[in-house]
Amino acid sequence: MDSTYQMLHDIIDFHNDRMQNLRRYYPFFCLQNTAFHLFKEGKYAFLDMGYITLAVLRYFIEENQFNDRALQYPEIYAFLSGVLSRDFSLSLPEEEEKELIGYIFDKLKNDGKPFVMEYFDPQKKTKASVRMKLIDAVLSGNTVLYTVTADAIEFYLDTKEIREESKINIQQVLLEKMIHTKNFKGGIDVIRRINSEVNRLRLQKKEVLALLGSNVFDGVKALEEFNQTGMRWFSEEQTLFSHNMELMERARAKAEETASGERDMEALRGIYQLETELKKAMANHGELLADCMDLQMRADEMIQKYKYSRLRGAFDFRAFVAAAEEAQDVSMLSHFVEPLLMPRLRKQFTLLQTDELFSQPAEPGETAELTGGSEEEMYVFDDEIEEERISGNYTAIAKTLFEELLLAERVTLSELNRKLEIKYFDGIFRNSDYYSFLVHICQKKEYDLEQVLKKQDTFLEEILAGVLREQPEHKFAKLKFRLAMKPEAEELLHKIAGPERDATFMTTEIVFERMN
């Protein structure tokens, strides 16, 4: 009974997800069945629309993503003309060629309309439909510019990888398109695939090391293959990471400026989530570089040890001569005769080295031993270590709060938490110093940092005074702000999974309001 229920659950509940995945392939098969036999009475029925579709998609990806520019129709016309003449040996008069290429391109962009795939929705028990485009068009001035869609890129990547690019590069090309189209949820899925590929390469590094330990020859081949996939594209991957991070920062800044309704706030939350995931992916990718460098050093050591172990302690001349006689190859004797005939090299000092020798000061015959009391050893007590840690954590949180108050007159604890999570990831909410900072700062309802710099009443104000002194030109010194509690608006900050149990942290919403 349970297995039957599970089967029905898979069929009904996951059907929509499967249709969303299948829709990427639907336009290709629609185009593959394009009726060339209905055009010009079947004169061009020998043309393969499937091949032409994939060729055009590859051309668009090269120009849109790698060369970062949109295409105009004359460029697409020239490319299709080359495909017809080169791959199908088709030579046509100018007017007839224009008509044929116009027909093909209209089919590819479906006359400007999306491809619509209808299917039965078993949950709603009605017909549903999904839409997809391969090519987008936008009017810029008096010119129509054409670009490939994110769905088309993902479909093409599913068929085969571009060039010999790394899979991380390929996914980043798709991520860039997701950011441009503001599909932040899809971008998070792409970053997870990037992390999966990074983890696979790190696991492969361990396998290469194990293979080097058991069979050095197979290990060297595996190392060369790993360097081709793991290290060859590393600098380009880092460049693409930086480029996508810049796109995310611009998208976040623009969204923060224009955010007004609930829909905009939802988009802003998606941007923050994607930016956080991207930072984690960049950190994971940096650890992959360290793994690759460690692999290279350890592989060199293992290969060097193997070379020394293969050296023989003595040379058997009789066995060597017997092997030469058996092979009837006298030239083999040159291997131990030629070294004896090498010219004798004499070592000598150059004049520069001689001058350097004479200019060196002579060492004294005896060196006096210094006596006296040894320096007093400094001890660091446990409470000093704790105070240093607390001061560092409080300083980091206070700087973030002050910077936000300089940008906005009103900052809530929820907004401060998002900034802290972007800077320090969600590990900050596992740190008890974060919660003790909130307790300390709530001891007063108002803060005048100019007065804090002159006189400190609490332990926290002593730390804040240190923050103010560190800043150039005291940029926080004129800052005044008040705190307001909202007990009716408790917010769940984080549910953190620990090694033994889940920990849930609740806090009262706090509003920090600038007074000047």
Side-chain angles (χ1 to χ4, degrees), residues 164-410:
E164 294 178 350
E165 295 275 354
S166 73
K167 292 183 179 179
I168 297 175
N169 269 2
I170 294 169
Q171 295 298 334
Q172 292 217 67
V173 168
L174 182 57
L175 176 60
E176 179 181 351
K177 194 69 179 181
M178 293 287 186
I179 295 173
H180 279 305
T181 57
K182 299 182 179 180
N183 185 1
F184 302 115
K185 184 178 179 181
I188 292 175
D189 293 335
V190 172
I191 292 179
R192 287 172 181 164
R193 291 202 292 269
I194 291 175
N195 277 327
S196 176
E197 177 64 15
V198 170
N199 292 334
R200 185 191 68 81
L201 290 174
R202 297 182 71 179
L203 181 62
Q204 187 178 355
K205 168 245 181 181
K206 296 179 182 179
E207 295 173 353
V208 171
L209 276 177
L211 190 57
L212 278 168
S214 60
N215 188 323
V216 72
F217 295 105
D218 292 341
V220 169
K221 293 179 181 178
L223 177 62
E224 291 177 356
E225 182 180 350
F226 178 79
N227 286 335
Q228 286 293 316
T229 57
M231 293 292 290
R232 179 181 175 187
W233 305 102
F234 200 90
S235 61
E236 291 186 19
E237 292 165 2
Q238 288 287 69
T239 302
L240 284 173
F241 268 124
S242 301
H243 175 64
N244 283 328
M245 180 56 72
E246 290 176 4
L247 290 177
M248 279 303 308
E249 290 174 353
R250 289 202 292 267
R252 174 172 54 80
K254 185 176 181 181
E256 288 176 346
E257 291 176 1
T258 59
S260 57
E262 181 62 27
R263 186 174 181 180
D264 292 338
M265 295 304 297
E266 183 68 26
L268 193 57
R269 282 192 288 269
I271 292 174
Y272 279 123
Q273 291 174 2
L274 180 56
E275 189 174 15
T276 302
E277 291 294 331
L278 185 56
K279 285 185 177 181
K280 291 179 182 178
M282 292 176 70
N284 202 13
H285 194 253
E287 292 176 2
L288 173 62
L289 175 61
D291 283 353
C292 292
M293 299 302 294
D294 176 66
L295 170 63
Q296 192 63 53
M297 289 188 292
R298 293 176 65 179
D300 291 342
E301 292 175 1
M302 297 171 74
I303 293 171
Q304 193 70 14
K305 289 180 181 179
Y306 182 79
K307 287 180 179 178
Y308 283 130
S309 67
R310 297 287 292 176
L311 293 176
R312 302 180 66 178
F315 185 78
D316 190 345
F317 287 91
R318 292 180 180 175
F320 185 84
V321 172
E325 291 177 351
E326 184 178 354
Q328 296 184 355
D329 186 2
V330 182
S331 64
M332 293 175 61
L333 301 176
S334 64
H335 293 303
F336 64 88
V337 173
E338 286 179 351
L340 303 177
L341 302 178
M342 290 179 66
R344 184 179 180 184
L345 301 177
R346 294 183 179 182
K347 296 182 178 180
Q348 61 184 6
F349 288 105
T350 65
L351 294 177
L352 294 176
Q353 290 173 323
T354 306
D355 292 340
E356 186 178 352
L357 286 174
F358 283 115
S359 64
Q360 292 292 329
E363 294 185 1
E366 294 182 358
T367 304
E369 182 179 356
L370 298 176
T371 60
S374 60
E375 293 182 1
E376 183 178 355
E377 190 172 354
M378 300 297 294
Y379 291 94
V380 181
F381 297 95
D382 292 342
D383 58 343
E384 293 176 340
I385 296 174
E386 292 294 319
E387 288 180 5
E388 184 178 359
R389 189 205 76 229
I390 292 171
S391 178
N393 289 335
Y394 281 14
T395 298
I397 299 172
K399 283 182 179 179
T400 303
L401 173 60
F402 294 164
E403 288 170 355
E404 291 302 308
L405 284 172
L406 289 179
L407 296 175
E409 292 184 0
R410 184 177 180 273

